[in-house]
Amino acid sequence: ASRGIGRAIAIRLAEEGADVVVNWRRDAEAAAETVRRITDRGGNAVAVRADVAVREDVARLFAAAREAFGGVDVVVGNAGHNIVGATADLDEAEFDRVIAVNVKGMFLVLRQAAATVRDGGRIIIVSSGNTRATLPATGVYAGTKAFAEQMGLALAKELGPRQITVNSVLPGLTDTEGVRPDIRANAEEVIAMTPLGRMGRPEDIADVVAFLAGDDARWVTGQRIGVSGGLA
């Protein structure tokens, strides 16, 4: 939650009254800025460094949340690593990193969430509209995100008896600093295919996550919700 969609979600949930744990891996200063934006508005937040692809880090992240705020009611699985390229040209080392973060990392987070989130809680997966509208050169990325969605569908059934809801949100092209230059260069083409006629904003995604995290979504579980301006 140090930037982009993750930061917007953290700030939005804090505005709704949530105490927030800001997970980060690479940029301590950016994570501290997310915390500052929350606390300056009267919210509560702490930053915790954890690589979701490392089991011990994930356990420490959840332990830090319990220590800081007494328990865990909402988990947002937002960490992700993008990879774009023709299949014949993909680098194996980059492929391994995508699998480590998007597949193993999501598994570790969801497994820990299933064991930690209190009854009546919420688990929300940030997936991708590419799982519905896969474009050339995005097959690996879309496949890893589809894995997360399938995990969410299974978890929704497993955790339903505890009144824990599990849903996925599927953003389309979203205007963040993390958008790769090659993707941004083709943004007009994607916008032209988008019924609402613009790129998404991080706040567009955060508002839907906030809905799913709140009581108004108590009867919504096992869903994959496109947040893409109609693109997917």
Side-chain angles (χ1 to χ4, degrees), residues 66-86:
R66 292 194 300 270
E67 181 177 352
F69 301 123
V72 178
D73 298 296
V74 178
V75 172
V76 179
N78 177 63
H81 185 71
N82 201 353
I83 182 171
V84 177

Side-chain angles (χ1 to χ4, degrees), residues 2-168:
S2 61
R3 61 192 178 109
I5 292 173
R7 172 180 283 174
I9 290 171
I11 292 171
R12 183 71 172 81
L13 292 180
E15 290 174 348
E16 293 295 317
D19 300 322
V20 180
V21 176
V22 175
N23 174 221
W24 65 280
R25 185 176 70 88
R26 291 178 297 183
D27 195 337
E29 185 175 341
E33 173 64 15
T34 302
V35 170
R36 185 191 66 77
R37 293 191 189 188
I38 291 171
T39 57
D40 282 355
R41 302 178 189 186
N44 296 318
V46 296
V48 177
R49 183 180 187 180
D51 185 339
V52 298
V54 178
R55 174 173 51 84
E56 293 81 5
D57 280 19
V58 172
R60 181 166 47 81
L61 175 65
F62 278 76
R66 292 194 300 270
E67 181 177 352
F69 301 123
V72 178
D73 298 296
V74 178
V75 172
V76 179
N78 177 63
H81 185 71
N82 201 353
I83 182 171
V84 177
T87 303
D89 301 326
L90 290 178
D91 178 75
E92 187 175 351
E94 188 173 6
F95 172 84
D96 288 342
R97 181 59 186 165
V98 171
I99 295 298
V101 175
N102 297 7
V103 175
K104 182 180 179 182
M106 186 60 70
F107 161 71
L108 292 174
V109 168
L110 293 178
R111 182 178 67 173
Q112 189 71 52
T116 304
V117 171
R118 293 186 284 207
D119 290 359
R122 305 284 188 263
I123 299 173
I124 302 156
I125 297 163
V126 179
S127 180
S128 170
N130 277 327
T131 64
R132 289 182 174 172
T134 305
L135 301 173
T138 65
V140 170
Y141 177 70
T144 62
K145 289 297 188 175
F147 165 84
E149 291 178 22
Q150 292 298 319
M151 286 286 295
L153 293 174
L155 264 186
K157 293 177 171 61
E158 294 171 17
L159 300 180
R162 294 173 51 201
Q163 302 302 301
I164 296 171
T165 68
V166 187
N167 295 286
S168 297

